[in-house]
Amino acid sequence: LKTNKTYFRKAVSAVDDANLPTEKTAKTVQDFLVMVKLLEKDPSTKKQSVKKSDLLSKTLQDEKEFMSESVRIDSNETEGRFGVAARDIKIGEELIVEKPGAAVLLQEYSKTHCQHCFIRVAIPVTCPNCVEVVFCSEKCQEMSLKTYHKHECGLLQTIWKSGASINCHLAFRIISSKSYEYFLKIKDKIDVPMSPEEMRKLKSDDYLKVCQMVTHADIRSNSNFFQHTLMSRFLTLCLKEGGFFEGSDVEESPIYSIQCHEISELHYQDNKETTVFIGAGTYPNLAMLNHACDPSVVRYFRGNRVHVNAIKPIASGLQIHENYGPIYTQEKCSERKAKLRELYNFECQCDPCIEDWPVYDELVADKIRFRCDSDVKCRNIIEISPDCNEIMVKCFSCNQFTNILKGLKVMQDIELMIRTGRRLYESKEFSKALQKFIDCLRIMDEVLAPPFQDYASCQQNIKDCFIHFGNCYNI
């Protein structure tokens, strides 16, 4: 509020110094003075400022970054680095909270969201030198002006109009967030491989951690390298123009292709919910999780800070998978594998791809998949038809019998639990709905094995509940 009044007063002085017609000068000055008086005296404006402060304190708390001790990072030649459950992980458990190493808003959200923390702005604080960005507070403004924005100020329109993707802009910001002297100090360490344990100790904005992310440089085409080289040269010239190399004769910058995640916001409109991507960021800890078409975690964002929670039980020693886009319930196996090869240069070997799980609408109801509950801890799945009259069914893996009455009773119970969870969700009681869906999935998972529709639906309901704890906007 104080900053806005100051800017209006400065605007009055600027108008007086401008060579405008007398009548227009008087009218403009009068309008600015009216705004100053409104900001000083209008109680509704003061209430709006208080409301804004309350909103920020609830929406973007100073949450501590962490990677749970239940997550162990391992690696091998085939799969690279990946996350593994160091112990049994429960449904809903929070595994990662991470600030981005760097983050960039899409151009269309540069006037509605804070350029630094990405929360939707109630009363904007502007940059004193350009009109391209806004901030939610003087604190975010100050942090931005001390680092990346001082090199971007006045150049954002050039970057946006150049055709540079948000990935390119993000690569630029990774560099502009640090000083040139910083890179001179670490340049001999940039290409030195690091172990997962060494990487885990570094902060997410440490470039030595960011540059360890997978780039697939060994399999990129010549045309791809040419495009990246051309854009790297353009962005380096932008850095030079923005004063990044000031005081140095050297004009080179280690701008590489980087791995990033889209940052999202949930929009409500006419009782419909839509996930909208507002920007992108680098999350080195999150990036160490491999893909699966049936992921074991969901991610959501508070501002530009990512939260990662388990959406199914993960047994100790098994990989923790996130999702890079294709989900088995929505796309057929051949489509998913082709997309992953094109975008990420790997052949997916997750369970839905190996076993060719059907999409959601094609999941059949003529078979029930029971988990073998023998004493020898057999991991086999026993498939039977719903009209099976036997109570005890023999497992052909361990030759012991499983009582299927428990599974049939679970199928009856979960129907009521899912209806209750959906009622709570529709009433916007998301915490209660989440707990109901978590209980439902936990009970199902003890005796039944995916894929089947109720299991997939319950997982999706858990994802939806978590997303409501992140960035939300009622249009």
Side-chain angles (χ1 to χ4, degrees), residues 253-273:
S253 174
I255 296 181
Y256 298 116
S257 171
I258 44 85
Q259 188 175 351
C260 68
H261 285 81
E262 293 175 316
I263 299 170
S264 61
E265 181 177 80
L266 185 66
H267 287 187
Y268 300 98
Q269 187 172 20
D270 300 328
N271 294 322
K272 294 182 180 179
E273 299 174 353

Side-chain angles (χ1 to χ4, degrees), residues 357-370:
W357 290 5
V359 296
Y360 183 84
D361 291 337
E362 297 176 3
L363 287 171
V364 294
D366 59 350
K367 287 184 181 180
I368 305 174
R369 292 163 55 87
F370 290 92

Side-chain angles (χ1 to χ4, degrees), residues 394-419:
K394 185 176 182 179
C395 171
F396 292 102
S397 178
C398 67
N399 292 320
Q400 296 197 28
F401 287 86
T402 291
N403 188 332
I404 66 171
L405 282 180
K406 182 179 179 181
L408 295 174
K409 177 65 167 59
V410 164
M411 295 189 68
Q412 294 176 346
D413 293 342
I414 62 175
E415 186 177 349
L416 176 61
M417 294 178 71
I418 288 176
R419 285 205 304 267

Side-chain angles (χ1 to χ4, degrees), residues 418-436:
I418 288 176
R419 285 205 304 267
T420 303
R422 287 174 178 164
R423 177 180 57 78
L424 291 168
Y425 185 92
E426 290 169 2
S427 301
K428 301 190 184 306
E429 297 183 69
F430 300 118
S431 294
K432 292 181 179 179
L434 174 63
Q435 191 56 57
K436 183 63 66 174

